[in-house]
Amino acid sequence: MSGAGAPKVTVDGTGLRVVVVAASWHEQVMDGLLAGTRRALAESGADWTEVRVPGSFELPVAAARAAAGGADAVVALGVVIRGGTPHFEYVCSAATTGLTDVSVRTGVPVGFGVLTCDDEAQALDRAGLEGSREDKGAEAAEAAVATAVTLRDLVPAPQ
Ligand code: DLZ
């Protein structure tokens, strides 16, 4: 998927409570994603907390708990790099389907900051590090905050 055409999203997230759920595989890339997310959340004015899980497979359950606990938005960060077995497809599919399910079922937007890459070079290029072409951690945070603001102003959340 190309990053071309991405919008520049800036919103006022003051008063929003955001939970960042972050996997732990591929430390250097994760550090970049987390830094981008922190930067974007600070710029938006939102308050946030961070929780770490072992791998991207564990992101949906952490996101579900955050949503049930009253978060206005969740940002999910992870890095999955293709190996020589079908494991890659299973972890990517579980993370993607699980996070989609959490957002649709709970009405709490989940920013999708899970990189699914063929190799580490692709991941580094999207990590928001010096020399990266893209900053997917920031993009995921901006998307989550923007969607939370849109939903808040659209209709009250179901009780
Ligand atoms: C097992 C595994 C592998 C092989 N690769 C990754 C990866 O590239 N990125 C990631 O976030 N997690 C990986 N995992 C771990 C799984 O997500 C999960 O934590 C384990 O299967 C334990 O449930």
Side-chain angles (χ1 to χ4, degrees):
M1 210 161 86
S2 157
K8 181 67 201 131
V9 180
T10 46
V11 281
D12 182 359
T14 305
L16 292 183
R17 292 155 303 162
V18 178
V19 178
V20 180
V21 296
S24 305
W25 279 63
H26 310 292
E27 188 178 0
Q28 186 187 3
V29 182
M30 281 304 305
D31 286 349
L33 293 179
L34 271 166
T37 287
R38 289 173 185 143
R39 215 165 33 240
L41 291 175
E43 278 171 18
S44 81
D47 294 319
W48 79 91
T49 54
E50 298 173 10
V51 292
R52 300 303 292 263
V53 293
S56 295
F57 188 83
E58 283 75 37
L59 289 171
V61 72
R65 183 65 64 89
D72 296 304
V74 174
V75 183
L77 303 177
V79 184
V80 194
I81 297 191
R82 191 185 292 278
T85 73
H87 208 85
F88 174 81
E89 271 78 24
Y90 289 111
V91 172
C92 292
S93 171
T96 308
T97 309
L99 291 170
T100 306
D101 178 63
V102 169
S103 69
V104 173
R105 192 170 41 76
T106 65
V108 174
V110 178
F112 187 70
V114 181
L115 302 183
T116 57
C117 299
D118 288 332
D119 53 42
E120 195 182 33
Q122 284 185 351
L124 287 167
D125 212 20
R126 290 158 177 78
L129 294 164
E130 204 176 315
S132 300
R133 282 187 304 122
E134 297 180 74
D135 186 353
K136 293 297 184 190
E139 278 182 31
E142 288 159 359
V145 169
T147 307
V149 169
T150 299
L151 295 180
R152 182 189 63 195
D153 297 344
L154 185 65
V155 283
Q159 298 305 308

